[in-house]
Amino acid sequence: MERIKTLIIGSGPAGYTAAIYAARADLKPVLYTGMEPGGQLTTTTEVDNFPGYPEGIDGPTMMVQLQQQAERFGTQVRIGMINKVKFATEKGGIHKAFVEGGAALEAETVIISTGATARYLGLPSEQRLRGGGVSACAVCDGFFYKGQEVAIVGGGDTAAEEATYLAKICSKVTMLVRKDQMRASKAMQHRVNNTSNIDLRYNTEIDEVLGDQVVEGLRMRNNQTGALEEISITGLFIAIGHQPNTEIFKGQLDMDDAGYLITKGKSTATNLPGVFASGDVQDKEYRQAVTAAGTGCMAALDAERYLQEIED
Ligand code: NDP
């Protein structure tokens, strides 16, 4: 079986940054990309908030550049999916990972950067217009709708936070909450209620997103009365939660109730020695490319220190 020092699972900003640092520390990392090489950023258009790109950069290009940077220092990037792991539980133990299609490898350290997947409603019109005005990240894409009317779906903290964020940029934000109350904290609800250009609609769901190539409007349905109403918007933000990609680690790694990996203190260490987690898979608060990259760097440094400790 192939034996390596560092296996990195996932190819978003966290995984590639971990790879850059691990490769430069001579850990000879092997990175498996997962099903969506480049991760969530490949589904966004312009990235304007990653430091170092004064003119902005489109998400897919940025991810190709990160991959090239990781490869420049010797990272082996492999297109493929790790679909099973068997982690060692004692310090210095060897971790096993199984690749879809049959191959398997042994690794002294593993960095998990499998990310999280934004949840969508699943309406055909919503799926068709993803990238054409339907977005799951207000902080990434809100600026493109400066001065325009938009809508947001969801009643949690993310939706409340993103609605107030959008309200600063856009002329009007219609917020659709499916129940007669919001799940968001009282403080966040208070902020939404006190923002004059947020039009809060309870008991309201999307019937259809309107528009052919780009979002032009929304048909909403009041789920108590059945009444339909159409509004004109240019952007629709879906904020109904994320699903961390941690299914294959269940039963081995500590997770919170929502399935996010738990890391120790300020480090990226999981409950198992030699297994580290970085990026959105362990972060439901910030979820930014730059914070993911930061924790990717931390994970590689933690892995390097761990290997050094074993050698000493
Ligand atoms: P949540 O799971 O907390 O909320 C999801 C929201 O989306 C709920 O209002 C839910 O409605 C709604 N929803 C789910 N499915 C649908 C659907 N099909 N149609 C319409 N609405 C739907 O996710 P968040 O991303 O908001 O938050 C995740 C975690 O992160 C939470 O623990 C949150 O507190 C935390 N967080 C904290 C922040 C902070 O403290 N600053 C900022 C952002 C997140 P319903 O209530 O009816 O189920």
Side-chain angles (χ1 to χ4, degrees):
M1 199 185 283
E2 181 183 15
R3 165 79 75 96
I4 59 172
K5 268 196 189 340
T6 301
L7 168 67
I8 299 171
I9 313 177
S11 57
Y16 281 134
T17 306
I20 292 165
Y21 275 76
R24 285 167 59 87
D26 209 24
L27 303 185
K28 300 186 171 50
V30 172
L31 179 151
Y32 274 85
T33 58
M35 267 202 314
E36 190 177 57
Q40 289 185 73
L41 273 186
T42 57
T43 63
T44 59
T45 45
E46 202 72 9
V47 180
D48 274 337
N49 53 10
F50 199 92
Y53 295 100
E55 306 302 326
I57 183 164
D58 69 276
T61 303
M62 183 175 143
M63 296 320 297
V64 168
Q65 291 184 349
L66 272 174
Q67 177 178 344
Q68 289 168 344
Q69 194 175 353
E71 286 175 329
R72 184 176 140 219
F73 299 110
T75 305
Q76 273 191 50
V77 176
R78 298 181 185 167
I79 309 281
M81 187 83 185
I82 301 289
N83 61 6
K84 191 176 157 199
V85 290
K86 195 164 187 308
F87 291 140
T89 51
E90 73 288 354
K91 197 166 179 177
I94 298 300
H95 308 291
K96 288 201 177 87
F98 301 86
V99 186
E100 200 170 72
L105 60 162
E106 293 182 333
E108 291 170 39
T109 56
V110 179
I111 296 174
I112 299 168
S113 317
T114 47
T117 306
R119 295 180 54 216
Y120 283 85
L121 300 165
L123 292 170
S125 54
E126 170 210 50
Q127 292 303 308
R128 185 167 46 81
L129 291 164
R130 273 175 67 177
V134 174
S135 163
C137 180
V139 180
C140 320
D141 297 330
F143 191 74
F144 303 119
Y145 303 94
K146 196 170 184 204
Q148 301 172 34
E149 297 193 5
V150 299
I152 185 162
V153 188
D157 280 321
T158 302
E161 197 169 80
E162 295 199 342
T164 48
Y165 175 85
L166 289 167
K168 292 194 191 108
I169 304 167
C170 305
S171 57
K172 182 180 174 189
V173 181
T174 304
M175 182 170 180
L176 283 64
V177 178
R178 67 177 172 183
K179 288 190 184 140
D180 62 358
Q181 59 188 17
M182 288 169 71
R183 190 191 291 207
S185 63
K186 287 278 175 278
M188 289 306 298
Q189 291 191 38
H190 189 67
R191 233 193 274 176
V192 168
N193 287 320
N194 283 294
T195 306
S196 60
N197 60 339
I198 296 180
D199 179 9
L200 183 55
R201 305 290 191 101
Y202 287 111
N203 297 314
T204 305
E205 294 176 47
I206 295 182
D207 191 55
E208 190 162 354
V209 190
L210 307 174
D212 193 15
Q213 305 290 326
V214 294
V215 172
E216 290 167 9
L218 203 58
R219 188 162 64 234
M220 312 184 289
R221 181 169 31 84
N222 182 306
N223 57 27
Q224 298 297 301
T225 64
L228 295 173
E229 184 186 344
E230 285 188 10
I231 56 169
S232 290
I233 52 162
T234 50
L236 172 64
F237 292 88
I238 312 292
I240 61 170
H242 283 72
Q243 185 66 44
N245 301 318
T246 52
E247 192 60 35
I248 62 168
F249 310 116
K250 280 194 177 137
Q252 298 186 64
L253 295 181
D254 289 347
M255 301 176 189
D256 69 10
D257 292 345
Y260 286 89
L261 296 182
I262 295 173
T263 50
K264 288 184 190 162
K266 284 186 179 172
S267 80
T268 61
T270 66
N271 54 305
L272 293 180
V275 181
F276 306 92
S278 61
D280 287 11
V281 74
Q282 51 86 58
D283 169 27
K284 64 182 175 196
E285 284 281 322
Y286 301 103
R287 293 196 298 249
Q288 299 302 300
V290 66
T291 51
T295 56
C297 158
M298 289 162 62
L301 295 177
D302 287 344
E304 189 188 354
R305 279 187 201 133
Y306 168 84
L307 288 170
Q308 190 60 52
E309 268 173 37
I310 288 170
E311 260 178 43
D312 287 345

